[in-house]
Amino acid sequence: MPFIEAIKQIAKSDLKTIVLPEAADDIRTLQAAEKVLKENYAKIVLIGNKNTIEQKAKQNNIDISKAKIVDPETSLKTEEYANLLYELRKNKGMTKEEAENIVKQPVYFGTLMMKDPNSEAEGLVSGAVHSTANTLRPALQILKTEPNTKLISGFFIMVVPDCKYGENGTFIFADSGINENPNAEELAEIAISSSKSFKQLTGKEPKVAMLSYSTYGSAKSESTEKVIQATNIIREKEPNLLVDGELQLDAAIIPEIAKIKAPNSPLKGNANVLIFPNLDAGNIGYKLTQRLGKAEAYGPLCQGIARPVNDLSRGCSSEDIAGVIAITAVQAQMKNREEK
């Protein structure tokens, strides 16, 4: 079964409520909501002006009748959420007046819904219109990081068609969306979080490659030393995790090349979690794989936030959004199990 279809089946087993704060601004979001509701793998809350959303849906023959629409301008929760935001941010200099204005922004309102213990909201997907910063800033300010997590990072699930590498063509690429130039400690944290995400979303053993332009000292620089140091940190923190580095991409994912370049590598050219040395490499790598390899790209998904909040590429399709909603729903299931 294709990766995203398997995720949808898991999501259907325990429906979660996902918030979409871009419904009034983006037709792809409404198309994705229709698809999700039709296939019944999540409940949907649309944030924005009710008339605008319903008119846009009607004009484009999109059925969102099963979605709940919440307008921050008229919601009975708006004052309560403004007070909550003020209490959370007053030590950072936020005034009550600022909180009353900010709470009406759909991404902030949706994030506050997830902070509210009496709300049904369990995950949020944004980024088709908003930048990564504008999607994640409310999450960092309101939800914070999950316990025992030092760093929030971003990853893509990449599903490459007709591919024998990775996990039958399925990979995690990280960090491909958030951290620009992580140091060795941060790179290790990204790798550990990504290995856990891979296990959660695929049920398969993560095999982590710490990527570089060098394999086992074929070149030496500050960049390669960072990757080697990060690999050593991971081995110390997670001795049971299958990880190796520094490795060039071909030595990480192609067994025949691994035998030549890295014959003693425990990965044996079967890596399925690819950790890039910086955001330039990660972002370029995923876009090349998506556009030239015709891969499905889901993300940038976020790891390390106390509740599931996921970003989107502004070049995403409605199918991409629907897929990320399914992944977010499964992450919400996992979060609930952890808390029980």
Side-chain angles (χ1 to χ4, degrees), residues 64-65 93 108 128 154 179 210 222 233 236 244 262 276:
I64 54 167
S65 57
Y108 270 94
N179 295 286
M210 307 299 289
E222 185 177 337
I233 293 170
E236 185 175 323
D244 198 21
F276 293 83

Side-chain angles (χ1 to χ4, degrees), residues 153-188:
S153 55
F155 68 95
F156 276 81
I157 289 280
M158 304 298 297
V159 183
V160 186
D162 302 318
C163 177
K164 62 183 180 180
Y165 304 123
E167 196 64 46
N168 295 318
T170 298
F171 297 86
I172 272 182
F173 284 22
D175 187 322
S176 301
I178 297 177
N179 295 286
E180 185 173 358
N181 190 24
N183 61 32
E185 185 73 36
E186 291 168 338
L187 202 59

Side-chain angles (χ1 to χ4, degrees), residues 280-332:
D280 283 332
N283 191 271
I284 292 167
Y286 105 75
K287 287 180 187 279
L288 276 171
T289 306
Q290 179 187 28
R291 300 302 179 181
L292 300 186
K294 304 188 186 307
E296 299 168 31
Y298 300 103
L301 307 169
C302 300
Q303 48 198 7
I305 302 175
R307 289 285 182 273
V309 173
N310 284 318
D311 192 16
L312 297 162
S313 167
R314 277 173 284 178
C316 65
S317 66
S318 61
E319 287 282 339
D320 295 334
I321 300 173
V324 172
I325 292 169
I327 292 168
T328 307
V330 171
Q331 288 176 319

